[in-house]
Structure formats: structure tokens, C-alpha cells
Amino acid sequence: MKRSNESHITLAHGNGGRRMRALISEIFIRYLGNASLDPDCDAVTLPFPHAELLFSTDGFTVDPLEFPGGDIGSLAIHGTVNDLAVSGATPQYLSLNTFIEEGLEIAQLTRIIKSMGCAAQACGVKVVAGDTKVVRRGEGSGLYLATSGIGVKATTQRVAISQIRGDDAIIVSGPIGDHGTAVLLAREQFGLQGELKSDAASVVPITNTLLKFSGLRFMRDPTRGGVATVLHEIHRSTGLGVHLQQAAIPVRDEVASVCEILGYDPLYLACEGRVVAVIDQTQADAALRALQRLYDGREAAIIGNLSSHTPYVMLETPLGGQRIVEELEDDPLPRIC
Amino acid sequence: MKRSNESHITLAHGNGGRRMRALISEIFIRYLGNASLDPDCDAVTLPFPHAELLFSTDGFTVDPLEFPGGDIGSLAIHGTVNDLAVSGATPQYLSLNTFIEEGLEIAQLTRIIKSMGCAAQACGVKVVAGDTKVVRRGEGSGLYLATSGIGVKATTQRVAISQIRGDDAIIVSGPIGDHGTAVLLAREQFGLQGELKSDAASVVPITNTLLKFSGLRFMRDPTRGGVATVLHEIHRSTGLGVHLQQAAIPVRDEVASVCEILGYDPLYLACEGRVVAVIDQTQADAALRALQRLYDGREAAIIGNLSSHTPYVMLETPLGGQRIVEELEDDPLPRIC
């Protein structure tokens, strides 16, 4: 932020990429920093006597509020449940903040909160605290939500970015970019239509399956910024390169078509029900088979590996060419989650 | 909501009064309800093995973002810290959600987050989880914040609205309405100026002092909707009447003047650093003296008592007249916290 002499917030400060990282480290970490606050964590471990709790929070501004496969309410449950799950916790309790714009239709609010209740029940979590604010017309956009979640640590295993080793395998639990594309199609501005549904769902069955493998190093849900952003985080944090096989990355035909028409890359599109996992090479095939036995993991794939031989996040094309996967700079799709 | 056949959200749904209660019970509790979710609690007790934790959340939309005596950042710390404190907990950890509007000046954001860091340090709490969303220009109002907090139960004593008895005394820890009035004066639209500062602060010293009294029944911080709204909550929940002595209620001259000019009643104006406490009559004087020894409690007062002889929240004027204190219907001041 200092380098570019910016004086006002832009949408790019919210895109999950480089400028957002600068905003967070130069303002939030600078003034709120403490030993427990780690911007690279989806959930933080809180030391209490006789218990290890995980705590996580997420905000939701998706536009439109309802889209094929979900809505802002179910998304606000799944988002925080998934942050706890990929951190190795069993999600238990959520708090809910609502910022409602004056003029929101009560029937729509009711549908969204009802959907939230169904999602919470399906995930086995309880909403136990809440606050509601109403803001004037023109000072919001229908509805913004925030959820904070508490989970109990489900494993003694250390699953963290620091555990990643030089030639670990990278697994993705299903096709990428469904959520981003489904939300995009639901926006009339693009004039496109389709049958695609968001992948928004709890990843607890996926993470519980992966946690059975002692070679599991790290899990993350590739939301804002997509799979590419998770891989860049790994690259930045470990110093290791990433070698991806383009042909191995599961992408639905409809997602590929929309990306081709609009010039997007599915690697940067948000998923809301997928996991990127890093696991010891020797256990990768067994973990993949275990995932593929789950309904939500039936299209899981090994998409590449860590590598000390490349200093980049690198994609190998089906014809054997290589291209660098750059870090996200400008947000292709704001308000996707 | 059904009775009035409303179909869209109005500002009154956010005012802390009757219509907000209807919104919460008819939508939020209906679909998210569970044994732990109590809309009358400031913080919920979470049963974990070997520990009792309290969990609370609050959203902040104050306009303007900075005002004499505080800003939205320090308010977001104090608000959630205070909800935990009045529930009998020692606040420990906070999560933070920010919804930033495109175009916010980075210098202002920096001041606010810095102030937040100072407030957190002064309260002895750590911000350990966070999420940032940037929304388009015209879809927010500068900055909205939400904080969720975890505290450890600081007492074995049961401090709850259900503990209140027929002739308990009501204490307020300091002058009322300072926060509401200070924010109002900071809005240019009113064309008023003044020296008044918000009372926004941690109430932990107040609640720790009150918790030493075995006769303490209940504590609440009178934020949105003010002292009148807390008293109506007690009245509704216990079925007991409330008898207030107008002359005993501490109100600063400047707050009284502004209320006279604009036609407000200080009983409905928000405080952000005060406690309304209900305590056994026989311990009320001792508790009052203990509070008055604290800097923030030096203007504490016994303002009335519970009563089974009146079915209302009733105010006795200095001349011996009586008037009913009605429940808040339309919000005099939206976006005060």
C-alpha cells in the first residue's frame, strides 16, 4: 500500500490477493497483532485449561443474495464451518451478525434465515448468539452477514502449512469454480444462463476422511481467490514451488465454457464446498480413493505436487508446455462470497 | 410483524424495541432456535468439558465513524467486552469482521484500527481472528464492524434476569445518554455543538466490583434503546413493575439540554460504558459506595426499585407525579452504535 501511495480503499483491497494482504498486514496486524493472531490461519487455536478450541470468523456479501445451490444464509453457515473443519476442528457453535438494508423484503429475509437453519442442522452446529443492525436505504446492499464459529479440536495431529514437505502431493476434493460461476450466472448483467449449481456445502465429511491419514499436512477451502490463491499462500509460506498438471484439474464443462467466454481462469474462481489438501506422496493414492468413496469427493483428483525445483506456481499444459500461475491482482468477481 | 402486515424491513426493525423483538422471534429464533440461543442474553454459556465459556457478538454501524470520546473501532471492542462482562465473564478473545466501502480513506481506517488496538490492550482482550470484505461504493457507509467474543466465567454466582426478586434495587453506574448525545452532536445535520464526550469504555471494573456482592441479581449495559429498554426487558421477563425516581437518575446538564431542544428522553439514549444492575435491597447501599470509589462509577446512583405493586415501568417526578415510561417504538437515533 505504501509503495503505490494509495490513499483510499479500492475493491482490489478485498480480493484475497496481494493488495488485500498488504492492507491486512499494514493496518490490521500492525495494530491488533498478538501471538495468537495469524493471518494465514483459517481458525486460531485458543488455549483454555483442559480444552483446545478453534475459533474462526467470516463475512458474507454475496450478490445476488440467492443463487442456484445456495444463498447468503447457507453460505454463512458453510463458510465458517468449513474454516473450522479444514483447521482440524469439529464445528460446534456459531454467532451471527446481520446488517440489513432498510427495504429488504421480509419474505426474502425469511427464506434466507430458514435456509441458514437447515444448513446449521445439517452441519451439526448451533447458532447461539446473534446481533441485528438495520441500516438506511442506500447504505447497504440488501443483507450482509458475518458468522464466528467455535469448534473442538478433532485431532492430535498437527495440520498446518508449516508441516508441508518438498514433494508432497496436492489433492482437490472436487471440480473447481462451480460456486463462482453459479453466482456469476445468477447475475443478470452477464446475460448468460445455465444449469450449474454452486458447490456450497459443508466439507466436514471430506476433512474427517482426510484426517485419518497420518501423512496429511495441510487443508484449506479455496474460497475467494480460488485454488490459485491457496497455492500461492503455500508457495509464499514454504518457499517451495508448486507443479500442477492442467489435465488433472477437475473443471466442469459449463465452468470451462463460461471462463472461455468471459476470459476467466477457473483456478481463480471461488469454491465453497471444496478442499485443497497437501499430503505425503506415499499416502496420496489411498487418500484419493477414500475421498472418491464419498458423494462430495467422487470427482476428487491429485492435481500436482510441491517441488523444490521450481521457484513458481507452475502449470503444465496437456501438450507439455509450462506457464506460471500468477498471484491474483485485480478481482475478477467481487462479492462472490 | 404479522399483525401489521409489513412486507419490507424498516429502520424500526433495528431499534432494539418491540418491532425488532418481533423480527428476531418470528424469523431468527423460529429458524435458528435451539436450547442455547436466548435472545434475552448478552452472552451465552457454552458447556465444554472442564470449562464454562461465554460467547457473545455485536455489530457496529455508528455514524459518524469517529466522535468525541471514541470511534467505531474502540466501540466494537467495548461493545462485546461489555456484553461478556455484564454476563459475569472475564473477556479474553475477540474475532473481528470488517465491511469496508470502496473509497474509504486509508488514513481514517488506520486511525480506527489503531484505536481498536489500544482499546483491546486496555481491556486485556486479544483479537485472534478476522475477516475483511470490501463492498462497492454506495453499498455501504464507510465501515461496518462486527466482533464476537469469548470469555471465561468469572463467578459461580448465577447473575441472570430470572434471579430478580420483588423489591430489588436498581443501580446505574453513571450518567445516562452521554454516548447517544455525543454521537448526535458529532452529526452536522443537527447544527449543534458541545464539549460532551461519549461514555464508551470497558465496564469490567464496574462488573468486577458488583460481582463481589452475593445479592447481585442481574447486570446489563444499556446500549441501543437506553436504560428504558433494559427496564422494559426486566418488566417483560419477570412480570414485575419498575418504580423509578426521576430526581435520582444521573443526567449531565448538556445531555438534558440537547434532549430538551430535540425532544428526546435520556432514558432512551444509548450508553456504551454504563451498567444497569439489579441487586438485593439490603446490599444496594454498600454496592453503591463500592462503585462510587471507582473513577467510572463516581456518579453511580440507585435510581429505583422493582415492585409488585405496579404493572408498568413507572417514573416518579420530583413533584410526586407519575408517568408511564413506554417501550421504545420508533428509533429516535438510528446508527448510534
Side-chain angles (χ1 to χ4, degrees), chain B residues 24 27 49 52 113 134 136 171 195 210 297 304:
Chain B
I24 288 172
I27 300 183
E52 265 207 318
I113 302 302
V134 178
R136 281 183 292 244
I171 293 179
E195 295 297 315
L210 288 168

Side-chain angles (χ1 to χ4, degrees), chain A residues 178-259:
Chain A
D178 291 10
H179 175 75
T181 309
V183 171
L184 186 156
L185 291 175
R187 291 186 192 164
E188 290 172 5
Q189 71 195 84
F190 291 100
L192 294 171
Q193 287 190 318
E195 296 297 316
L196 193 76
K197 277 189 180 175
S198 165
D199 55 289
S202 162
V203 299
V204 170
I206 302 281
T207 56
N208 279 347
T209 299
L210 288 168
L211 282 168
K212 291 176 189 151
F213 291 86
S214 61
L216 179 69
R217 315 280 198 218
F218 174 71
M219 299 187 288
R220 178 63 51 98
D221 53 332
T223 58
R224 193 167 31 163
V227 170
T229 297
V230 173
L231 298 177
H232 267 281
E233 203 178 333
I234 294 171
H235 167 57
R236 238 180 5 255
S237 185
T238 63
L240 293 166
V242 174
H243 192 101
L244 296 175
Q245 299 292 341
Q246 187 172 20
I249 301 172
V251 180
R252 294 194 197 285
D253 291 345
E254 188 153 9
V255 171
S257 304
V258 170
C259 283

Side-chain angles (χ1 to χ4, degrees), chain A residues 1 6-11 13-14 20 23-24 27-28 30-32 34-38 44 46-51 53 55-61 63 77 92-107 109-110 113-114 116-118 120 126-141 144-152 187 189 224 334-335 337, chain B residues 1 6-11 13-14 20 23-24 27-28 30-32 34-38 44 46-51 53 55-61 63 77 92-107 109-110 113-114 116-118 120 126-141 144-152 187 189 224 334-335 337:
Chain A
M1 300 195 5
E6 285 173 298
S7 64
H8 290 77
I9 293 291
T10 64
L11 286 176
H13 284 117
M20 179 158 183
L23 176 76
I24 287 172
I27 300 183
F28 290 87
R30 180 169 168 199
Y31 295 113
L32 302 176
N34 60 70
S36 297
L37 181 60
D38 178 353
V44 65
L46 301 181
F48 279 103
H50 312 290
L53 299 183
F55 189 34
S56 181
T57 196
D58 216 344
F60 303 88
T61 62
D63 169 31
I77 297 290
Q92 293 210 341
Y93 298 106
L94 296 185
S95 67
L96 168 65
N97 296 94
T98 59
F99 296 92
I100 311 175
E101 188 188 13
E102 178 187 15
L104 180 70
E105 203 193 351
I106 288 176
L109 178 66
T110 305
I113 303 302
K114 185 175 175 183
M116 191 164 212
C118 294
K126 291 176 185 166
V127 176
V128 294
D131 182 71
T132 302
K133 292 284 183 290
V134 178
V135 297
R136 282 183 293 246
R137 207 181 287 266
E139 293 181 345
S141 181
Y144 298 142
L145 300 179
T147 48
S148 292
I150 300 177
V152 176
R187 291 186 192 164
Q189 71 195 84
R224 193 167 31 163
R335 295 192 49 195
C337 61
Chain B
M1 301 196 7
E6 284 173 299
S7 64
H8 290 77
I9 293 291
T10 65
L11 286 176
H13 284 117
M20 181 159 181
L23 176 76
I24 288 172
I27 300 183
F28 289 88
R30 180 169 170 200
Y31 295 113
L32 301 177
N34 59 71
S36 297
L37 181 59
D38 178 353
V44 65
L46 301 181
F48 278 103
H50 313 289
L53 299 182
F55 189 33
S56 181
T57 196
D58 215 345
F60 303 87
T61 63
D63 169 32
I77 298 289
Q92 294 212 340
Y93 298 106
L94 296 185
S95 67
L96 168 65
N97 296 94
T98 59
F99 296 91
I100 310 176
E101 187 188 13
E102 179 187 14
L104 180 70
E105 203 193 350
I106 289 175
L109 178 66
T110 305
I113 302 302
K114 185 175 175 183
M116 192 165 211
C118 294
K126 290 175 185 166
V127 176
V128 293
D131 183 70
T132 302
K133 291 284 183 288
V134 178
V135 298
R136 281 183 292 244
R137 206 181 288 265
E139 294 180 343
S141 180
Y144 298 142
L145 300 179
T147 48
S148 293
I150 300 177
V152 176
R187 291 186 192 164
Q189 71 195 84
R224 195 167 28 165
R335 295 193 48 196
C337 60

Side-chain angles (χ1 to χ4, degrees), chain B residues 5 52-53 71-72 85 126 149 208 222 229 266 294-295 317 328:
Chain B
N5 280 320
E52 265 207 318
L53 299 182
D71 54 63
I72 193 171
K126 290 175 185 166
N208 280 348
T229 298
L294 300 174
Y295 181 79
T317 66
L328 183 66

Side-chain angles (χ1 to χ4, degrees), chain A residues 159-178:
Chain A
V159 179
I161 210 162
S162 59
Q163 302 298 302
I164 295 174
R165 317 264 169 91
D167 60 348
D168 287 343
I170 301 167
I171 293 179
V172 66
S173 67
I176 67 172
D178 291 10

Side-chain angles (χ1 to χ4, degrees), chain B:
Chain B
M1 301 196 7
K2 272 169 193 158
R3 266 174 302 176
S4 53
N5 280 320
E6 284 173 299
S7 64
H8 290 77
I9 293 291
T10 65
L11 286 176
H13 284 117
N15 69 4
R18 188 186 59 75
R19 290 164 86 191
M20 181 159 181
R21 233 175 34 250
L23 176 76
I24 288 172
S25 72
E26 290 174 29
I27 300 183
F28 289 88
I29 300 298
R30 180 169 170 200
Y31 295 113
L32 301 177
N34 59 71
S36 297
L37 181 59
D38 178 353
D40 289 339
C41 273
D42 264 347
V44 65
T45 301
L46 301 181
F48 278 103
H50 313 289
E52 265 207 318
L53 299 182
L54 281 103
F55 189 33
S56 181
T57 196
D58 215 345
F60 303 87
T61 63
V62 66
D63 169 32
L65 297 176
E66 296 170 287
F67 48 82
D71 54 63
I72 193 171
S74 55
L75 200 61
I77 298 289
H78 294 138
T80 293
V81 160
N82 290 351
D83 281 348
L84 291 168
V86 296
S87 305
T90 303
Q92 294 212 340
Y93 298 106
L94 296 185
S95 67
L96 168 65
N97 296 94
T98 59
F99 296 91
I100 310 176
E101 187 188 13
E102 179 187 14
L104 180 70
E105 203 193 350
I106 289 175
Q108 184 174 32
L109 178 66
T110 305
R111 284 196 303 276
I112 288 168
I113 302 302
K114 185 175 175 183
S115 152
M116 192 165 211
C118 294
Q121 196 159 32
C123 295
V125 294
K126 290 175 185 166
V127 176
V128 293
D131 183 70
T132 302
K133 291 284 183 288
V134 178
V135 298
R136 281 183 292 244
R137 206 181 288 265
E139 294 180 343
S141 180
L143 185 63
Y144 298 142
L145 300 179
T147 48
S148 293
I150 300 177
V152 176
K153 209 174 170 191
T155 174
T156 55
Q157 196 176 336
R158 187 152 164 66
V159 179
I161 210 162
S162 59
Q163 303 298 302
I164 294 176
R165 318 265 168 91
D167 60 349
D168 286 344
I170 301 166
I171 293 179
V172 67
S173 68
I176 67 172
D178 291 10
H179 176 74
T181 310
V183 171
L184 185 156
L185 291 175
R187 291 186 192 164
E188 291 172 4
Q189 71 195 84
F190 292 100
L192 294 171
Q193 286 191 319
E195 295 297 315
L196 193 77
K197 278 189 180 174
S198 165
D199 55 288
S202 162
V203 299
V204 169
I206 302 282
T207 57
N208 280 348
T209 299
L210 288 168
L211 282 168
K212 291 176 188 150
F213 291 86
S214 61
L216 179 69
R217 315 278 198 220
F218 175 71
M219 299 187 287
R220 178 63 52 98
D221 53 332
T223 57
R224 195 167 28 165
V227 170
T229 298
V230 173
L231 298 176
H232 267 281
E233 202 178 334
I234 293 171
H235 168 57
R236 239 182 2 257
S237 184
T238 62
L240 293 166
V242 174
H243 192 101
L244 296 176
Q245 299 292 341
Q246 188 172 17
I249 301 171
V251 180
R252 293 194 197 286
D253 290 344
E254 189 154 10
V255 172
S257 306
V258 170
C259 283
E260 211 171 287
I261 294 169
L262 297 177
Y264 293 151
D265 182 337
L267 277 172
Y268 297 93
L269 293 184
C271 310
E272 289 289 343
R274 306 294 179 217
V275 174
V276 172
V278 180
I279 190 163
D280 189 310
Q281 274 292 358
T282 65
Q283 298 187 5
D285 286 328
L288 181 66
R289 285 193 301 274
L291 285 183
Q292 288 173 340
R293 282 194 289 272
L294 300 174
Y295 181 79
D296 282 342
R298 66 197 184 282
E299 296 171 78
I302 298 172
I303 61 170
N305 57 276
L306 277 294
S307 162
S308 44
H309 302 302
T310 169
Y312 305 111
V313 178
M314 188 67 83
L315 185 80
E316 188 172 322
T317 66
L319 298 175
Q322 289 200 327
R323 71 171 175 87
I324 292 176
V325 177
E326 300 283 358
E327 193 178 356
L328 183 66
E329 184 69 21
D330 276 318
D331 199 352
L333 283 172
R335 295 193 48 196
I336 210 74
C337 60

